[in-house]
Amino acid sequence: MRRAFCVLAALMNEQQQNIVGKMKPIVNFKEWKFRDPPNYAALPIDENPEYNVPVAVKDAVFSKVPTEPLIGKLHLVCASDEALVDLLDLHPSVAESEEFINFVAGSYLPEGGLSVSHRYGGYQFGFWADQLGDGRAHILGEYVNSKGESWQPQLKGSGETPYSRFGDGRAVLRSSIREMIASEACYHLGIPTTRAAALVVSDDHKVWRDKTYCGRARQERAAVVMRLANAWYRIGSIEILLKRREPHTMKLLVDFIIKQHFPELENSDDKYVDWYLEVAHRNLDMVATWQGFGFTHGVLNTDNVSLLGLTIDYGPYGFIEHFYQNYVPNSSDDMGRYAFNKQPEILLWNLEKLAEALEPILSEDQKEKIKDIRATLSEYVQRNVLKTHLLKLGLKEMKDGDDKLVQELFEVMQLKMGDFTATFRQLAEVESQQLLDKSVLETKWSLSKFIDTPNWEKWVKKYQDRLKEENVSEDERQSRMVKVNPVYVPKNWIMQEAIADAEKNNFEKVRFLLKLFKNPFEVNEEAEKRGYSSQPPSWSYGLKLSCSS
Ligand code: AMP
Ligand code: MG
């Protein structure tokens, strides 16, 4: 009888939850609770009592590690209203509350929380780097929201863990702002990504950083960003289990990931093969979106490639400004391994590493099938990238010679330093028949660079012919194009300005940017006044970012 009652109660709860899709957001943060226990508690967790000493962890997927709270006077730098409301059922006003700020600072763990750091390894710049892991991040628990989705809040910059190696477990304000803004901006651009909920900085908690690696370290304020994802597994999560010869744990982990995050594959006849294909396609779909927005990740090591196909670990990334196909935002990437135009092939290389890592749990037949899949991936991603670029030009079909059409535009852009974002947007704003009209082009700062360029004239004629072939009306072309070509992207110089103010506890620009990037495809009056879609200031040319964060 009691059991029947419980079942009934659970059902009612579920029904309520369904209605709660429209549930009122929670206003009192103390009422907000995690799932207890989190599902990941079913995986092997290392419980070494010396939790914050660097150590080679064995036979575990996580280490149980408490956060080391940010100390001193804290400020909420910003919060993402949509992430709070849509993912965590929290009213935006909660972000200002003391409990929530303490939650982000790592000093308040809501009921049901279980603070862990994830163990993984990775190939860094092509070489096996052995154990890496969450050296300054803590997954706090699992929150099941009113839509039934499970989200894992993770703090970044929340103290030392067994994976800290030589690091201090902290993050500074500038890199945290960059991660916060890019996560939310990419989400609204349509790039699959981890999210960011809130960012807290301390006035008093200082750390040493040598930003330019030139031997001039200085003190900076420590900050913590709260990121959100359904899960935080990376290719390196599997690789460490290959290198340390732990096939049993690997099987547990892969089965778990499939069950929790790819349930549609759980009963498939060949689930590891199907899962590999799905992970590969998700990551290649993701990289195609990057190529469409000029986004360059900067550090595509295998530990920074998500098994859920999400953009993860925003560090020295950049959105291309004046177009350069080998654009490298990361000042440490001397060889240009992670240049803009190399990203698809690097993802393929990383996926090869994933296939290698999985071998201990695959049968000979499965290995063969994965080999066959791998043979299809290069064409898959090339087609996807081309499709993305054609959509940016207002073209839905894919015809012979289209790759040249795109390549020739890029050549003109590179030759004349056309801005990646502005060129495409301005192409959408000018009638295709007027693309050679000097007086019209002069009104568009990026397109105006192409005036009197023979290759531009050649290209425009080709483009006009191609539009005729697809029979797309001018109205339709323009309306398709403004939906996929943003007015604003988080360019490094725009964020640099916001960061400079935030260093002085003026968070207005950071907050404005977060709001602006909710609608990156719409012209915003205030952003126009601030020059965010104008020609970048000269000081921003050649701006590079370091990994020191
Ligand atoms: P990333 O380049 O940010 O993806 O980091 C690579 C590895 O270094 C990861 O294992 C990070 O957790 C670790 N790491 C980066 N910065 C720190 C830090 N300040 N303290 C501890 N570990 C860090
Ligand atoms: Mg990383």
Side-chain angles (χ1 to χ4, degrees):
M1 177 62 193
R2 182 162 164 71
R3 195 167 174 276
F5 175 75
C6 288
V7 171
L8 194 67
L11 269 175
M12 279 173 60
N13 230 338
E14 225 175 84
Q15 274 174 1
Q16 269 167 2
Q17 297 249 321
N18 288 339
I19 309 169
V20 202
K22 287 160 207 141
M23 167 188 111
K24 268 201 177 154
I26 295 167
V27 178
N28 179 0
F29 188 58
K30 286 207 171 121
E31 287 168 13
W32 191 90
K33 295 183 180 107
F34 284 117
R35 162 166 42 213
D36 190 6
N39 287 340
Y40 60 71
L43 287 167
I45 300 184
D46 170 69
E47 299 212 15
N48 184 346
E50 292 207 64
Y51 57 83
N52 59 359
V53 177
V55 59
V57 175
K58 263 202 82 60
D59 296 315
V61 175
F62 297 104
S63 291
K64 190 171 169 187
V65 199
T67 53
E68 294 177 333
L70 207 57
I71 52 165
K73 183 167 166 42
L74 303 177
H75 301 271
L76 176 80
V77 176
C78 59
S80 162
D81 292 355
E82 314 81 71
L84 294 180
V85 177
D86 299 345
L87 313 183
L88 300 181
D89 302 325
L90 289 171
H91 191 278
S93 63
V94 165
E96 303 282 350
S97 70
E98 198 180 331
E99 291 81 24
F100 184 79
I101 291 176
N102 288 338
F103 176 46
V104 181
S107 59
Y108 170 62
L109 187 62
E111 226 178 289
L114 173 65
S115 175
V116 295
S117 292
H118 177 40
R119 173 186 179 218
Y120 54 83
Y123 279 88
Q124 298 192 315
F125 292 89
F127 297 97
W128 175 243
D130 211 59
Q131 177 179 293
L132 297 165
D134 290 333
R136 51 172 169 170
H138 296 78
I139 297 167
L140 300 180
E142 279 168 1
Y143 178 71
V144 182
N145 72 13
S146 54
K147 294 171 226 155
E149 303 159 347
S150 172
W151 288 91
Q152 297 182 358
Q154 185 199 60
L155 301 184
K156 183 167 172 182
S158 40
E160 284 177 53
T161 78
Y163 310 101
S164 295
R165 299 179 295 153
F166 42 80
D168 58 7
R170 297 293 167 193
V172 293
L173 182 59
R174 57 187 157 83
S175 62
S176 307
I177 288 176
R178 287 171 47 79
E179 172 133 29
M180 177 87 208
I181 291 177
S183 309
E184 292 302 278
C186 283
Y187 170 72
H188 291 290
L189 284 168
I191 294 176
T193 178
T194 60
R195 301 287 301 272
L199 166 54
V200 165
V201 68
S202 161
D203 278 345
D204 313 297
H205 201 140
K206 304 267 172 65
V207 292
W208 288 95
R209 287 292 182 276
D210 184 0
K211 198 163 135 187
T212 47
Y213 300 120
C214 62
R216 265 190 257 149
R218 67 175 183 109
Q219 278 201 321
E220 295 188 53
R221 290 191 294 163
V224 179
V225 59
M226 176 176 282
R227 316 194 285 185
L228 299 169
N230 302 125
W232 295 95
Y233 306 109
R234 300 127 192 278
I235 290 182
S237 312
I238 310 289
E239 286 175 314
I240 189 77
L241 304 173
L242 166 83
K243 302 284 182 177
R244 292 292 167 78
R245 299 203 169 84
E246 295 172 27
H248 174 71
T249 308
M250 188 190 299
K251 189 169 174 346
L252 278 179
L253 176 59
V254 175
D255 287 346
F256 179 86
I257 293 176
I258 293 174
K259 181 164 184 234
Q260 298 295 326
H261 304 288
F262 299 79
E264 66 284 3
L265 301 182
E266 217 200 340
N267 297 319
S268 101
D269 295 338
D270 224 342
K271 71 174 177 178
Y272 296 152
V273 174
D274 292 347
W275 181 65
Y276 180 81
L277 179 67
E278 181 65 21
V279 174
H281 279 185
R282 283 197 197 185
N283 272 293
L284 298 175
D285 293 348
M286 171 195 73
V287 79
T289 65
W290 293 357
Q291 301 310 104
F293 293 113
F295 175 80
T296 311
H297 182 283
V299 205
L300 278 178
N301 296 331
T302 55
D303 50 302
N304 289 338
V305 178
S306 147
L307 291 177
L308 270 54
L310 305 170
T311 310
I312 193 172
D313 285 8
Y314 292 86
Y317 65 87
F319 282 82
I320 302 187
E321 296 179 26
H322 48 270
F323 184 71
Y324 179 58
Q325 61 170 346
N326 295 308
Y327 169 65
V328 179
N330 178 358
S331 62
S332 313
D333 185 6
D334 302 327
M335 309 291 284
R337 179 179 170 87
Y338 299 135
F340 171 70
N341 63 340
K342 297 232 182 93
Q343 297 188 117
E345 80 187 70
I346 281 294
L347 256 294
L348 292 173
W349 190 89
N350 289 334
L351 289 165
E352 184 186 325
K353 291 290 160 202
L354 174 61
E356 259 172 53
L358 286 169
E359 286 199 356
I361 60 167
L362 299 177
S363 66
E364 288 310 312
D365 176 51
Q366 287 169 329
K367 284 182 206 164
E368 277 307 306
K369 285 183 179 153
I370 288 184
K371 201 168 150 203
D372 292 344
I373 288 174
R374 285 200 21 238
T376 65
L377 296 180
S378 175
E379 197 192 325
Y380 178 86
V381 70
Q382 276 173 39
R383 275 183 73 84
N384 248 339
V385 172
L386 179 58
K387 194 159 178 40
T388 306
H389 289 147
L390 291 176
L391 284 173
K392 285 179 78 68
L393 291 172
L395 297 164
K396 270 190 180 157
E397 294 161 17
M398 200 184 285
K399 302 201 167 188
D400 279 351
D402 279 350
D403 50 344
K404 271 203 161 157
L405 181 77
V406 172
Q407 199 46 45
E408 284 165 17
L409 173 62
F410 283 158
E411 279 163 22
V412 177
M413 283 163 69
Q414 178 152 332
L415 186 74
K416 291 287 170 184
M417 297 180 89
D419 181 274
F420 188 91
T421 306
T423 298
F424 280 103
R425 180 69 188 198
Q426 292 170 4
L427 270 174
E429 292 166 350
V430 172
E431 294 277 323
S432 61
Q433 287 311 315
Q434 295 187 329
L435 283 170
L436 292 176
D437 185 329
K438 226 172 170 167
S439 63
V440 175
L441 289 197
E442 270 163 0
T443 64
K444 301 288 178 191
W445 67 266
S446 191
L447 294 187
S448 70
K449 297 178 176 199
F450 309 150
I451 291 173
D452 294 334
T453 306
N455 284 353
W456 169 248
E457 284 170 29
K458 229 168 89 192
W459 184 81
V460 169
K461 286 184 185 136
K462 209 167 172 177
Y463 180 45
Q464 289 167 342
D465 288 346
R466 180 63 182 78
L467 288 169
K468 273 187 216 132
E469 264 180 60
E470 190 159 322
N471 206 12
V472 47
S473 74
E474 190 54 27
D475 274 357
E476 168 141 23
R477 179 190 78 96
Q478 293 193 339
S479 83
R480 279 182 197 171
M481 284 176 72
V482 291
K483 285 187 203 122
V484 293
N485 291 304
V487 190
Y488 312 105
V489 295
K491 293 181 174 180
N492 285 333
W493 74 267
I494 295 178
M495 280 183 300
Q496 264 338 100
E497 283 189 351
I499 288 167
D501 281 7
E503 299 280 9
K504 296 177 219 135
N505 279 347
N506 174 356
F507 307 127
E508 189 277 335
K509 282 195 181 124
V510 173
R511 292 178 183 191
F512 176 75
L513 287 178
L514 259 189
K515 253 198 229 125
L516 173 67
F517 290 125
K518 274 197 223 175
N519 293 306
F521 299 99
E522 275 171 32
V523 176
N524 175 302
E525 216 176 292
E526 179 56 31
E528 289 305 294
K529 275 195 213 143
R530 297 183 187 206
Y532 291 167
S533 74
S534 310
Q535 179 138 14
S538 54
W539 62 261
S540 73
Y541 276 62
L543 207 61
K544 287 227 175 192
L545 280 304
S546 84
C547 283
S548 163
S549 59

